[in-house]
Amino acid sequence: MLFFLNDGIQENKSGIEHAQIKRLNLFKHFQQPAKIVTRQYSNELHLVTRHAGIADEDFVNLFDYFQNARLVPQKDITIKDIQIDSDWQRKTDGNNYVYSRHGHQILYVRRRNDAKKHIINLQYFDHFGKLLKVKWYDVRGFISVEQVYDWQGNIATENYFQPDGKLALQLAHFKDKRDHEIKTYHLFDYHGRDYQFTGLDELTAFFLDQLVTDQQICGDGPVGIVVDRVYENGWSVLHMKNRVPRYMQLHNDHVNHNEDIMHSTLNYNYEWGLRHIRDWDGVITLTPQQQADVQARFGKYGVKIYRIPGPIVPAAVLDKPHIPFAKRTKGRVVMVARLSPEKQQDQLLKAWPQVLKAIPDAKLDFWGYANNNFDKTLNKIVKEEQIGKSVTFHGYTTDVNAVYENAQLLILPSRVEGLPLTLVEAQSHGLPIVANDIKYGPADVVINGRDGLLTKNGDIDGLAKAIVSLLTDQKRLAQMSANAYADSKRYSEPSVMKLWQQIIDDVNEKEAHK
């Protein structure tokens, strides 16, 4: 059993979550036991996993585990299931209800905007109108957590319940002498004992110790952990009492300045893990170039450095009929990525006026959610360059395949990457690519001149010329599309699973030598 450890999972998933899901599906395809593991609480967690196609059986969450709520049948909780005093006055507030007594609000019922108007939470107030507590319903239909507020309106205590109403876990919020928040977790009657933990990291380490020894979840075979969020989970994994094989996954550049891979400061996401590299059984990189760079700097510590790409092209995609190039929208250019400074959408926007000068009918579509209000910066550039009629920001999409199959060209002008999922996905749908030739990833996907073009980071004129050269040569672009379909086979399921077999073999070997 391999556990793929994350911090949480949200509706708008990053490349790490997409990579985990693809990896989980890969393991299921080859009948290798694996599960995604998260530690953050959300009452909507199983709605998110459902939308992501993750079965409850293939997923373990820390709070679910201790609340005895991993596998819970769906129950619909609507307003008719809530006990309301018939003397209370009710008025509507959109989808929600406000209940009052003698003119004072005492209950607010928040409902989901779906067909059945499922209950989200119940908010209780005193006769002064101060919020006392909020009871949150898990999307599967039971009160999962109760938040109790202090007089200042801050959450003082959070009580987490099992589906049968039994208190399982309590989170208490305190302030120290310097007014810094302290969180303590109390686990009640767990196998007949009570436990207390200072902070989520301590609780996570305890949870992982329970998980890797839980035969109902793990089965009888050996167990290993792949940590996909090292910054959040690294400490907990390395402080487990049960020593199982553990592997640190790099999803991005591991250094801040990759022109000096031997001396550069480390990416904060991986710094703690790499500072403790001797405590890992392996480090997983995404590309041969990154594998060589990590080996050069850290190989002296004797830890195995693996290379396994994150993107995977399933057989269903490889075997799908190719989209005739003539059916793609002529001049449509797309970028599929978070709106974030390192992705450098700003450089693409600054190159776009040159593209429009050569191809007035060209259209540029951005797909992805914004980080740190970077969308405001981008919209300002659009206004300054007066290109608003040809540029559209669409936000996050759950149907990215339709985006790839409609466009003629994908652009990725990033300054730093790991192995971009969007490049492999686009290529597998026959979409030619223009991407900056940076560490790491683009050169591992794009075969320069065959299925796309590699450009120099920071060369805005060069980026514009590359785009124009392809959009004005439709015959060449069509051939690149055909080549892209063929070249994506490098990331087929058997090819990637062969690399993961190295980790599986290492876990099995360590188990055999215990």
Side-chain angles (χ1 to χ4, degrees):
M1 172 69 70
L2 279 183
F3 290 117
F4 307 141
L5 186 54
N6 205 329
D7 189 46
I9 184 167
Q10 300 176 350
E11 198 69 57
N12 292 346
K13 292 170 284 296
S14 73
I16 293 177
E17 284 71 56
H18 284 294
Q20 278 194 318
I21 295 167
K22 287 179 179 294
R23 189 195 304 154
L24 176 67
N25 291 334
L26 176 73
F27 274 59
K28 290 182 69 176
H29 178 75
F30 286 94
Q31 298 182 332
Q32 288 286 349
K35 297 186 191 299
I36 293 175
V37 178
T38 66
R39 66 175 191 162
Q40 295 289 352
Y41 172 84
S42 170
N43 68 309
E44 295 190 337
L45 179 60
H46 287 266
L47 186 63
V48 173
T49 55
R50 196 182 309 153
H51 290 167
I54 304 171
D56 287 350
E57 294 80 4
D58 300 323
F59 180 77
V60 187
N61 171 261
L62 180 153
F63 285 88
D64 277 354
Y65 187 83
F66 290 127
Q67 291 177 264
N68 195 26
R70 273 196 67 229
L71 308 174
V72 177
Q74 181 67 44
K75 183 179 180 181
D76 295 323
I77 300 295
T78 62
I79 194 66
K80 64 180 177 58
D81 300 299
I82 307 301
Q83 292 185 353
I84 305 292
D85 193 312
S86 60
D87 292 333
W88 294 352
Q89 294 80 45
R90 185 178 82 177
K91 68 176 182 179
T92 59
D93 179 24
N95 284 324
N96 309 318
Y97 289 128
V98 178
Y99 289 90
S100 302
R101 181 177 57 191
H102 306 310
H104 298 287
Q105 176 180 325
I106 58 173
L107 176 65
Y108 187 87
V109 180
R110 185 179 169 201
R111 303 195 298 169
R112 197 173 301 280
N113 186 24
D114 56 18
K116 293 186 177 181
K117 299 293 188 294
H118 290 100
I119 302 298
I120 298 175
N121 64 36
L122 307 176
Q123 304 173 23
Y124 296 87
F125 300 82
D126 67 11
H127 63 280
F128 296 108
K130 185 177 72 69
L131 182 63
L132 296 175
K133 63 182 177 181
V134 179
K135 293 184 177 182
W136 291 84
Y137 279 86
D138 185 280
V139 293
R140 294 166 293 173
F142 64 94
I143 293 177
S144 181
V145 62
E146 174 189 69
Q147 296 173 326
V148 181
Y149 287 74
D150 62 21
W151 186 253
Q152 286 74 38
N154 302 312
I155 298 175
T157 306
E158 298 178 56
N159 298 311
Y160 295 87
F161 299 99
Q162 296 182 8
D164 62 4
K166 180 182 178 181
L167 179 62
L169 190 67
Q170 184 178 80
L171 167 57
H173 299 258
F174 298 98
K175 293 289 184 71
D176 65 14
K177 291 185 292 185
R178 294 178 176 83
D179 206 36
H180 295 153
E181 185 178 37
I182 299 174
K183 295 181 179 180
T184 62
Y185 291 86
H186 301 259
L187 184 61
F188 296 104
D189 195 23
Y190 179 71
H191 297 321
R193 290 185 57 188
D194 293 347
Y195 297 86
Q196 183 170 327
F197 308 92
T198 301
L200 183 58
D201 287 343
E202 283 189 10
L203 176 62
T204 302
F206 181 81
F207 159 62
L208 294 173
D209 274 322
Q210 308 311 302
L211 181 62
V212 299
T213 56
D214 190 331
Q215 289 194 336
Q216 287 188 333
I217 295 176
C218 299
D220 297 325
V223 178
I225 296 177
V226 177
V227 184
D228 286 293
R229 295 278 187 184
V230 180
Y231 178 82
E232 292 84 355
N233 290 301
W235 186 95
S236 299
V237 171
L238 297 189
H239 284 79
M240 291 171 60
K241 293 180 179 179
N242 289 297
R243 181 62 167 88
V244 299
R246 55 237 190 161
Y247 306 87
M248 177 172 55
Q249 172 76 63
L250 303 180
H251 283 279
N252 212 313
D253 199 333
H254 58 287
V255 295
N256 292 321
H257 307 285
N258 53 36
E259 67 277 3
D260 184 6
I261 57 101
M262 295 301 293
H263 306 98
S264 170
T265 56
L266 299 172
N267 182 331
Y268 79 93
N269 287 294
Y270 310 117
E271 181 175 12
W272 193 90
L274 290 171
R275 296 292 182 202
H276 296 81
I277 193 167
R278 295 181 183 86
D279 297 321
W280 299 93
D281 293 281
V283 177
I284 304 172
T285 64
L286 296 175
T287 69
Q289 189 178 26
Q290 188 178 34
Q291 182 184 30
D293 286 352
V294 174
Q295 182 68 41
R297 183 162 175 175
F298 297 99
K300 61 186 177 182
Y301 298 111
V303 175
K304 178 75 173 178
I305 312 298
Y306 297 89
R307 192 273 301 184
I308 309 174
I312 303 162
V313 182
V317 174
L318 289 175
D319 297 339
K320 185 179 179 181
H322 296 176
I323 301 297
F325 193 76
K327 288 192 174 183
R328 296 177 180 272
T329 301
K330 188 175 181 180
R332 184 166 297 282
V333 178
V334 298
M335 181 172 175
V336 180
R338 289 177 291 108
L339 305 182
S340 188
E342 71 274 9
K343 301 295 183 181
Q344 298 192 146
Q345 287 93 347
D346 53 337
Q347 293 204 2
L348 177 52
L349 288 174
K350 291 175 182 177
W352 194 245
Q354 296 183 49
V355 176
L356 290 177
K357 186 176 181 180
I359 310 137
D361 295 332
K363 300 294 182 184
L364 176 58
D365 293 339
F366 291 96
W367 296 87
Y369 61 86
N371 280 154
N372 301 319
N373 296 316
F374 192 57
D375 53 328
K376 294 181 180 178
T377 299
L378 300 178
N379 278 298
K380 183 180 179 182
I381 296 173
V382 169
K383 187 175 181 179
E384 291 172 348
E385 299 289 347
Q386 298 181 346
I387 53 177
K389 291 184 179 180
S390 66
V391 176
T392 305
F393 295 94
H394 294 273
Y396 185 83
T397 178
T398 57
D399 189 11
V400 71
N401 294 344
V403 173
Y404 295 137
E405 293 181 349
N406 179 255
Q408 285 197 324
L409 194 59
L410 179 127
I411 315 296
L412 190 67
S414 303
R415 66 170 183 257
V416 61
E417 285 289 353
L419 178 56
L421 178 62
T422 183
L423 295 188
V424 176
E425 286 182 339
Q427 191 176 79
S428 71
H429 290 276
L431 187 56
I433 296 164
V434 173
N436 280 342
D437 188 10
I438 56 168
K439 291 184 178 181
Y440 298 97
D444 290 280
V445 181
V446 179
I447 302 176
N448 193 36
R450 173 180 160 81
D451 51 33
L453 296 176
L454 293 171
T455 50
K456 183 180 178 181
N457 181 32
D459 184 1
I460 294 176
D461 291 341
L463 177 62
K465 288 177 182 177
I467 296 170
V468 171
S469 71
L470 295 183
L471 290 182
T472 55
D473 191 344
Q474 291 287 301
K475 184 177 179 181
R476 183 188 185 195
L477 203 55
Q479 183 58 54
M480 282 188 169
S481 176
N483 293 341
Y485 278 118
D487 295 341
S488 67
K489 294 177 182 178
R490 294 171 295 167
Y491 297 93
S492 68
E493 291 166 317
S495 297
V496 178
M497 193 65 212
K498 184 178 180 180
L499 296 173
W500 274 108
Q501 190 62 46
Q502 302 170 87
I503 302 292
I504 296 170
D505 291 344
D506 190 51
V507 172
N508 290 337
E509 182 181 350
K510 286 179 167 58
E511 175 69 19
H513 288 85
K514 273 188 177 180

